[in-house]
Amino acid sequence: MSLNYIKNFYEGCLRPPTVIGQFHTLFFGSVRMFFLGVLGFAVYGNEALHFSCDPDRRELNLFCYNQFRPITPQVFWALQLVTVLVPGAWFHLYAACKNIEQEEILERPIYTVFYIISVLLRIILEIIAFWLQSHLFGFQVHPVYVCDASSLEKAFNVTKCMVPEHFEKTIFLSAMYTFTVITILLCIAEIFEILCRRLGYLSNQ
């Protein structure tokens, strides 16, 4: 029985009840994760090693880098992806435990409501992630970062640090914002598809 639950859960996650939901899964699972996993590592993988300040001292570089990056972009985006997956995963886990077929989700009002709630939660989480990303990383990576290192040593005071490959990081940052916006739009379109199909189902009764 437990293997059947796992099978239903797996199929539910891969094949949502809507066409747009299936496209979202393809977009989310393939393009976004590939972009982050492969290109994200290439762009941000050695950032801390090449981040240098004036004077070029190890403790100063580490201190200013931690100030520049309170959280590394790869970790933030990985957390974003996992967090956004949670509402849908919970719904499909519930559906698997109740042996709910994908076709039933849009036929039974209670299941439809639960599914719409999971999509709305995804939208809310993406909006929160967008807001956090804008506050943590901004919309552009500048070539020079001004670091306040007075708490490390008074002799340093304010120092300038060079940010490696700032233009590539700006492009990647813009792409991640774009992915977030596209995901939000897909979720909104999925809700409209659910409502249209639900109305169509009711009109045929």
Side-chain angles (χ1 to χ4, degrees):
M1 186 65 71
S2 60
L3 289 177
N4 190 42
Y5 289 157
I6 295 172
K7 178 176 177 291
N8 291 340
F9 173 72
Y10 177 75
E11 289 180 352
C13 290
L14 286 183
R15 290 184 295 178
T18 63
V19 175
I20 295 176
Q22 292 173 15
F23 178 76
H24 174 264
T25 301
L26 176 65
F27 175 79
F28 193 98
S30 302
V31 179
R32 200 173 182 184
M33 288 187 178
F34 174 82
F35 195 86
L36 177 59
V38 177
L39 298 181
F41 179 79
V43 174
Y44 289 95
N46 298 317
E47 183 182 47
L49 295 176
H50 299 292
F51 187 87
S52 60
C53 302
D54 183 23
D56 189 8
R57 292 172 53 176
R58 177 174 171 77
E59 66 273 18
L60 179 62
N61 291 342
L62 288 174
F63 179 87
C64 289
Y65 182 74
N66 289 332
Q67 189 180 112
F68 175 63
R69 296 282 192 219
I71 180 173
T72 58
Q74 305 100 303
V75 172
F76 175 83
W77 289 319
L79 289 173
Q80 177 185 356
L81 293 180
V82 172
T83 304
V84 171
L85 282 173
V86 169
W90 273 112
F91 174 82
H92 291 300
L93 182 63
Y94 168 79
C97 292
K98 295 290 185 179
N99 289 321
I100 302 170
E101 298 293 333
Q102 293 299 304
E103 295 77 14
E104 294 181 58
I105 294 174
L106 301 183
E107 295 176 1
R108 301 276 298 274
I110 186 67
Y111 300 152
T112 304
V113 171
F114 284 161
Y115 187 76
I116 289 176
I117 290 173
S118 72
V119 177
L120 287 173
L121 286 174
R122 264 188 282 161
I123 294 173
I124 292 170
L125 290 171
E126 288 283 12
I127 292 172
I128 292 173
F130 189 98
W131 180 82
L132 285 173
Q133 181 176 328
S134 66
H135 278 69
L136 288 170
F137 311 127
F139 292 91
Q140 181 181 2
V141 180
H142 298 283
V144 177
Y145 174 71
V146 179
C147 172
D148 181 7
S150 57
S151 58
L152 178 66
E153 189 175 324
K154 290 186 177 179
F156 291 144
N157 199 9
V158 175
T159 184
K160 292 183 178 180
C161 304
M162 300 300 296
V163 180
E165 300 167 343
H166 63 94
F167 184 68
E168 291 181 13
K169 291 180 174 64
T170 298
I171 295 175
F172 194 89
L173 198 60
S174 300
M176 295 308 294
Y177 280 119
T178 304
F179 285 149
T180 301
V181 172
I182 291 174
T183 303
I184 292 171
L185 293 176
L186 285 175
C187 290
I188 294 172
E190 185 176 6
I191 291 175
F192 278 106
E193 181 186 349
I194 293 169
L195 295 176
C196 290
R197 290 178 63 178
R198 180 64 189 166
L199 290 173
Y201 174 77
L202 291 175
S203 63
N204 291 331
Q205 285 186 326

